[in-house]
Amino acid sequence: MTLDLFDSLGGMEPREETLGPGARVLRGFARAQEEAVLSALHDITSASPFRHMETPGGFRMSVAMTSCGAWGWVTDRTGYRYAAEDPVQGRPWPQMPEVLRELARTAAASAGFAAFCPDSCLMNRYVPGAKMSLHQDKDERDFSAPIVSVSLGLPAVFLFGGTERKDRPARVRLSHGDVVVWGGPARLRYHGVMPLKPGHHPRLGAQRINLTFRKAC
Ligand code: MD3
Ligand code: FE
């Protein structure tokens, strides 16, 4: 006889959770594509490696970033923007692989956003201690499109705030393979990531990688 762990928990393990209006967590949604996603990640970061960018205020970000797709998010002393070229490599960002585009599209659709067509995928790499302060994503042209985020590697505590910086954020643990879709009334909420705790992930080692799909331009 096989022991079914989910049955033993009463079959009530939620695979989908709502964090608030317009914010849906799809637990483990990316796991079925894990190998293809990691292979795509390897190709992209070979062409456009992770780098630490500088904020307009002159701070080096603890999160290292790169992008794929038509547009990549960049920051330097002149400001935040989407750029068609990788400023380090001096050429266009790597194309968005079909497996990533399709993962983002199916996740958005299952959260109720039909026909999501991302033109940008920002990749964030966190090592222990790296964090992202509370902020809003508002460098995009059209806030009616959702944002899809895919968490890989070490778990992180994600902060999900309100529409004002002062609103006390909820804490959500995001683990390898979890996908979150943020749209509609959640699109402009403040959010951030607590400093990454040390640990070892069997596929990614001592890091967390987050992929953020957006319709930027
Ligand atoms: C909630 N990245 O790159 S994506 C970012 O884990 C960023 O690296 C985080 O925030 C990370 O800008 C989380 C999740 C996310 C993205 C957009 C949102 C959450 C959001 C927009 C509104 C509310
Ligand atoms: Fe953000």
Side-chain angles (χ1 to χ4, degrees):
M1 195 186 85
T2 56
L3 173 65
D4 187 311
L5 288 171
F6 292 134
D7 274 2
S8 74
L9 292 167
M12 293 302 288
E13 286 301 283
R15 298 286 86 185
E16 258 194 47
E17 305 154 32
T18 296
L19 299 178
R24 187 88 58 94
V25 187
L26 312 172
R27 295 285 178 198
F29 191 91
R31 282 186 182 250
Q33 313 296 329
E34 173 176 44
E35 294 309 323
V37 167
L38 294 180
S39 156
L41 212 69
H42 172 84
D43 295 347
I44 291 157
T45 57
S46 300
S48 277
F50 285 113
R51 80 291 306 265
H52 293 272
M53 295 191 279
E54 204 179 349
T55 67
F59 295 100
R60 174 190 193 260
M61 296 186 77
S62 62
V63 177
M65 300 176 163
T66 187
S67 285
C68 67
W71 299 95
W73 186 85
V74 297
T75 174
D76 59 21
R77 293 305 294 259
T78 72
Y80 307 127
R81 65 194 171 277
Y82 283 93
E85 283 203 342
D86 173 348
V88 172
Q89 304 294 324
R91 53 171 184 258
W93 299 99
Q95 287 195 334
M96 191 184 300
E98 205 50 43
V99 62
L100 296 188
R101 188 186 306 279
E102 196 57 16
L103 179 62
R105 196 189 61 76
T106 55
S110 84
F113 294 92
F116 177 49
C117 189
D119 56 11
S120 174
C121 173
L122 174 66
M123 310 185 155
N124 294 331
R125 186 190 66 195
Y126 297 75
V127 295
K131 64 176 172 63
M132 195 173 284
S133 307
L134 274 187
H135 67 278
Q136 293 173 293
D137 288 17
K138 49 182 186 187
D139 298 327
E140 299 74 29
R141 184 194 294 268
D142 176 8
F143 298 141
S144 71
I147 289 179
V148 173
S149 93
V150 177
S151 291
L152 299 167
L154 288 177
V157 177
F158 182 78
L159 300 170
F160 186 44
T163 53
E164 294 184 72
R165 189 182 291 279
K166 64 170 170 53
D167 298 333
R168 178 196 293 273
R171 290 166 176 246
V172 186
R173 190 171 190 267
L174 295 179
S175 301
H176 184 70
D178 290 348
V179 177
V180 193
V181 182
W182 324 83
R187 178 64 182 77
L188 288 172
R189 285 175 67 164
Y190 278 87
H191 57 278
V193 179
M194 293 285 286
L196 193 74
K197 294 229 172 71
H200 177 86
H201 184 271
R203 288 308 313 270
L204 284 158
Q207 59 180 342
R208 167 180 191 253
I209 293 177
N210 183 268
L211 313 181
T212 306
F213 296 88
R214 301 184 174 92
K215 173 109 189 63
C217 299

